[in-house]
Amino acid sequence: MLRVCVAGKNAIAVNAVRILLNRLSPTEIAVIPNASDSGVDSWQPSFLGFARENHLRILTLEEAYEIPHLLFLSLEFDRIIKPQNFLSKRLFNLHFSKLPKFKGVYTSIMPILCGESESGVTLHMIDSGIDTGAIVSQKSFEIGLNESARDLYFKYLHYATLLFSESVESLLNETFSAVKQGFAGSYYSRKSLDFSRLCVDLQKTSFEIHNQLRAFIFKEYQLPKVCDVEIEKSVLTDVFVGRNCLLESATHFILSGIDGFQIKAYKALESSSPLRGGGHNLSESPQEYRVGFVMTLLLKFPLFFLLLIEARSALLLLFYGIFLCSALQNSVRDSYEIRRKNAKRH
C-alpha cells in the first residue's frame, strides 16, 4: 500500500527517501522528480536516478491527487501545490528559510542581500498560499559574514536533512502539532530579481557592497563580476583602506564603500561555465573607478600628491617668470626704439 510521496530534487529529496526507507518498504514510497531532472548526477544527486536505482514507483502530480490519506512531501519541488486538488489533507513542504521570513524563491540570495546573520529551514503544512502554512518544526543557524549563496544552500541541505529526520515519525504517525505563522514575514517571486540588470552600487557601505557580491556567488548558476572579471569569493574585513576604493592585483580586487572598510574580491580561477553563461556583471561605472583610484592614491601616498602640487606650483611660477621677463624685455626694447626715433627727429 502506498503511504508516502516525495516530490522534489537534489540531495534533500534523496536524503528524505533514504530516511523513509529505514522505516517503510519501497512499495510504500513513491516519488515525483522535478521536470528538469535528467536522471544523471551532476553537482547534486539526481532524484530520478536514485528512484530508478531503488526501484521506487514514479508518479505524476495528477496521479498523487487521487490517492486518499497520502503523506505528500514537497522538497524543492518545481510546481505550486494546490491543496484543493488532493483527496489527502496530509500535505507538507520543507522550505529553505526561517519562516515567516523569505517565502517564495531565491532563499539563498535574499537573506544575504538583505544583510541577515541568521536563516533556517522550516517544515510546514501546505495551504492555498505560498509558504504560508502552519509551522510544524524549524531549525535555525547562523549565516557567516563571508559565506556566499552557495555556502548558504549547502547549509540548507544539511539542516533540512536533520529536521526531516527529527520530524518524520510525527508525520507518519500524525502526532505533530502546528503553529500558525505571524504576519511579520517577507516574500520574493521570480520577478523580484532581474539577473540581466544586476550592478553593484559603490555608494553603499562596504558591508552592503560585500553582500551584493556574495549573494550571487553560486558557481553552478552564476558568478558576479567586477570590471568584467568573475568573482568567486568576497571577504569583508575591518581594515580601513579609504572610501570608495577600487584596486586590482593578479588574484583579487580591493574594494570599499562609503565607510572605507576593505573588501577582498577574489577572482575566479576558471573561466565562465557554459552552464551559467557569462555570469552577471556587477562592475562599477568608470567615474566611480576613477574617483576610487584617486582617493586611494591620496590616502596611501599623500607625500606624492604634496610633491605633485609643489611641482605644479613651481612649474607655474617658472612659466609666469618667463612670461614677465619676456614682457619686460619687450617693454625695454620698445622704450629704446621710441627714444632713438625721437633723437633722430631733433
Side-chain angles (χ1 to χ4, degrees):
M1 177 183 173
L2 188 59
R3 294 180 59 187
V4 182
C5 178
V6 177
K9 68 173 183 177
N10 291 356
I12 183 55
V14 170
N15 292 343
V17 172
R18 283 189 174 130
I19 291 168
L20 287 166
L21 285 170
N22 290 329
R23 294 164 173 81
L24 305 173
S25 69
T27 58
E28 295 177 293
I29 304 170
V31 303
I32 307 176
N34 283 7
S36 60
D37 195 332
S38 65
V40 179
D41 291 347
S42 60
W43 66 280
Q44 282 287 296
S46 165
F47 190 37
L48 176 59
F50 174 81
R52 287 171 175 168
E53 290 173 7
N54 288 273
H55 309 290
L56 299 174
R57 182 179 172 185
I58 299 172
L59 300 179
T60 65
L61 184 59
E62 290 68 29
E63 287 173 327
Y65 290 156
E66 305 302 323
I67 303 173
H69 208 63
L70 177 71
L71 174 57
F72 182 87
L73 301 165
S74 173
L75 308 177
E76 288 203 272
F77 193 39
D78 59 358
R79 293 178 63 180
I80 299 295
I81 301 303
K82 298 179 179 179
Q84 65 271 21
N85 292 339
F86 284 82
L87 292 179
S88 177
K89 303 301 179 186
R90 302 169 65 205
L91 314 174
F92 300 87
N93 179 46
L94 213 171
H95 182 67
F96 286 1
S97 85
K98 188 180 178 181
L99 293 175
K101 287 185 174 182
F102 303 106
K103 299 176 178 70
V105 295
Y106 303 136
T107 57
S108 295
I109 295 175
M110 298 312 301
I112 293 176
L113 204 56
C114 293
E116 296 285 323
S117 60
E118 181 185 70
S119 191
V121 290
T122 307
L123 179 65
H124 67 91
M125 302 181 72
I126 297 176
D127 61 12
S128 58
I130 299 177
D131 303 321
T132 55
I135 294 173
V136 175
S137 55
Q138 195 169 59
K139 273 190 179 297
S140 302
F141 56 81
E142 289 185 356
I143 302 174
L145 176 62
N146 293 315
E147 288 181 341
S148 67
R150 190 177 192 272
D151 297 327
L152 178 53
Y153 179 76
F154 278 90
K155 276 192 169 182
Y156 283 141
L157 292 176
H158 172 72
Y159 285 98
T161 300
L162 292 179
L163 183 64
F164 183 78
S165 180
E166 294 170 3
S167 306
V168 64
E169 288 295 340
S170 66
L171 297 180
L172 291 170
N173 300 328
E174 298 185 71
T175 56
F176 66 88
S177 59
V179 179
K180 289 185 177 180
Q181 293 188 43
F183 58 81
S186 55
Y187 165 73
Y188 297 93
S189 70
R190 297 284 179 194
K191 296 179 181 179
S192 300
L193 289 175
D194 183 354
F195 284 84
S196 67
R197 301 184 65 182
L198 296 176
C199 61
V200 70
D201 183 0
L202 287 184
Q203 295 306 310
K204 296 288 185 180
T205 65
S206 294
F207 178 61
E208 291 172 301
I209 296 169
H210 172 59
N211 292 342
Q212 290 177 68
L213 292 172
R214 65 191 181 113
F216 295 99
I217 294 175
F218 203 133
K219 66 181 182 180
E220 287 77 16
Y221 293 105
Q222 76 279 314
L223 287 174
K225 289 182 178 181
V226 171
C227 296
D228 216 32
V229 177
E230 289 186 331
I231 301 301
E232 66 178 2
K233 187 174 180 61
S234 180
V235 177
L236 177 65
T237 73
D238 59 359
V239 176
F240 183 83
V241 293
R243 295 173 177 83
N244 295 112
C245 165
L246 176 56
L247 296 174
E248 183 178 5
S249 74
T251 58
H252 62 275
F253 292 92
I254 297 292
L255 302 97
S256 66
I258 61 170
D259 52 358
F261 292 107
Q262 176 182 262
I263 305 162
K264 284 188 175 181
Y266 289 90
K267 299 176 182 179
L269 298 178
E270 300 175 357
S271 60
S272 298
S273 165
L275 293 177
R276 63 175 185 259
H280 301 290
N281 196 355
L282 303 185
S283 56
E284 64 302 313
S285 70
Q287 180 181 2
E288 288 170 324
Y289 179 90
R290 288 194 298 269
V291 169
F293 183 73
V294 171
M295 289 182 70
T296 302
L297 284 176
L298 184 58
L299 286 164
K300 292 288 186 180
F301 309 106
L303 182 59
F304 168 77
F305 273 85
L306 184 61
L307 290 173
L308 184 63
I309 292 168
E310 291 296 329
R312 183 181 177 185
S313 299
L315 192 62
L316 287 172
L317 286 172
L318 177 62
F319 279 116
Y320 186 59
I322 293 171
F323 171 77
L324 286 177
C325 287
S326 177
L328 182 61
Q329 184 180 15
N330 290 336
S331 177
V332 170
R333 185 174 61 249
D334 292 343
S335 178
Y336 171 77
E337 288 294 329
I338 291 170
R339 287 198 302 271
R340 190 167 63 84
K341 289 177 180 179
N342 288 338
K344 285 182 178 181
R345 290 194 189 104
H346 297 289

